[in-house]
Amino acid sequence: MADAASQVLLGSGLTALSQPLMYVKVLVQVGYEPLPPTLGRNMFGRQVYQLPGLFAYAKHIMKIDGRAGLFKGLTPRLCSGAIGTIVHSQVLQRYQEADQEEEPGASLKEPVSSLEQVIKETSREMVARSAATLVTHPFHVITLRCMVQFIGRETKYSGIFSPFVTIYREEGILGFFAGLVPRLLGDVLSLWLCNMLAYLINTYALENGVSTMSEMKSYSQAVTGFFASMLTYPFVLVSNLMAINNCG
């Protein structure tokens, strides 16, 4: 429980810090372009028209809603992160308890670096992440709808409990799970791509016995994670657009 609590606190801090980035990203995803393109230069030095970047968007939001406006939708996002962390850790804990019941000395054994072990751990992580996503998706939907209200200056999904009532009254239970399928697919594909690519690189591309082997393997995990996230980004985009489509 102490470990889960520390993860919740750390996750909440990171969520709060990254909220302005998430806010701008969502507005870009829905095609909101409040500022005209400006003349700039591309990576080859040619003059081109460019859409506003992160800081220009943030300044525009602050100009209208103040600094607090950058944190619109933070409360449901914090709830989503905290509940998701607890569900994720509880599912993995159940797996560990089941292993200890089957083999009492399993926790003392050396971890096996094999394809079978990678598949086993990835499968368990997939179940844990999917359970967390399923439970927290209603908060994710409310977060997105709170953010896109900025465009039309609506207040339909403001407050803590009123968005739940609004969604249930207008769309029923299914409204809380708009965009769930592509989000789950994206998470699962990203996880399997990341772990399998990392396994292939660590097993066949990196030589054992190098002094910095553990560091290299951690770097490979980070690189493959970024690559997998990039490949599965269309699922994130489709999920977010489905969550806010026809929501008023």
Side-chain angles (χ1 to χ4, degrees):
M1 285 301 294
D3 187 41
S6 62
Q7 287 180 3
V8 168
L9 286 173
L10 179 61
S12 298
L14 293 174
T15 297
L17 288 174
S18 65
Q19 179 66 12
L21 300 175
M22 170 76 171
Y23 195 5
V24 171
K25 184 184 81 169
V26 170
L27 293 179
V28 171
Q29 285 175 335
V30 299
Y32 180 55
E33 297 176 3
L35 303 171
T38 57
L39 197 61
R41 294 186 180 276
N42 62 13
M43 59 185 297
F44 301 107
R46 259 185 16 181
Q47 280 196 336
V48 292
Y49 279 102
Q50 300 172 335
L51 288 171
L54 166 66
F55 295 108
Y57 262 102
K59 283 181 181 178
H60 177 72
I61 294 170
M62 288 171 58
K63 186 177 178 181
I64 296 174
D65 286 342
R67 294 194 180 190
L70 290 171
F71 296 91
K72 192 175 289 184
L74 178 60
T75 302
R77 192 170 171 227
L78 285 174
C79 293
S80 174
I83 295 170
T85 299
I86 294 170
V87 171
H88 181 272
S89 63
Q90 287 297 312
V91 172
L92 292 181
Q93 187 178 340
R94 293 292 178 273
Y95 276 121
Q96 290 174 358
E97 290 172 357
D99 281 346
Q100 289 175 357
E101 288 176 5
E102 291 177 8
E103 300 179 53
S107 59
L108 302 175
K109 291 182 179 179
E110 289 289 327
V112 181
S113 179
S114 65
L115 181 59
E116 184 180 348
Q117 182 70 13
V118 171
I119 291 174
K120 180 181 177 182
E121 291 179 357
T122 305
S123 299
R124 292 182 173 187
E125 181 67 18
M126 176 184 70
V127 173
R129 285 195 191 183
S130 298
T133 299
L134 186 64
V135 171
T136 61
H137 193 72
F139 293 98
H140 180 67
V141 171
I142 292 171
T143 298
L144 295 174
R145 295 185 179 186
C146 283
M147 290 176 174
V148 298
Q149 285 185 141
F150 175 80
I151 300 170
R153 310 306 298 160
E154 298 96 357
T155 57
K156 185 175 180 180
Y157 296 97
S158 300
I160 299 175
F161 301 108
S162 59
F164 289 94
V165 177
T166 301
I167 293 174
Y168 182 76
R169 186 176 64 245
E170 295 185 358
E171 304 172 55
I173 292 293
L174 292 178
F176 292 108
F177 299 96
L180 174 63
V181 174
R183 188 181 176 204
L184 277 175
L185 284 174
D187 284 348
V188 169
L189 286 173
S190 177
L191 175 65
W192 279 97
L193 275 172
C194 173
N195 287 4
M196 296 310 295
L197 283 173
Y199 168 76
L200 292 173
I201 292 172
N202 294 339
T203 304
Y204 300 107
L206 299 178
E207 296 180 7
N208 290 322
V210 182
S211 58
T212 56
M213 180 53 56
S214 59
E215 290 183 24
M216 292 294 291
K217 289 189 175 181
S218 64
Y219 292 150
S220 70
Q221 188 80 20
V223 171
T224 54
F226 174 77
F227 182 68
S229 298
M230 186 173 64
L231 286 179
T232 56
Y233 176 76
F235 290 94
V236 177
L237 179 61
V238 170
S239 172
N240 287 353
L241 294 180
M242 288 176 67
I244 63 170
N245 191 35
N246 293 326
C247 69

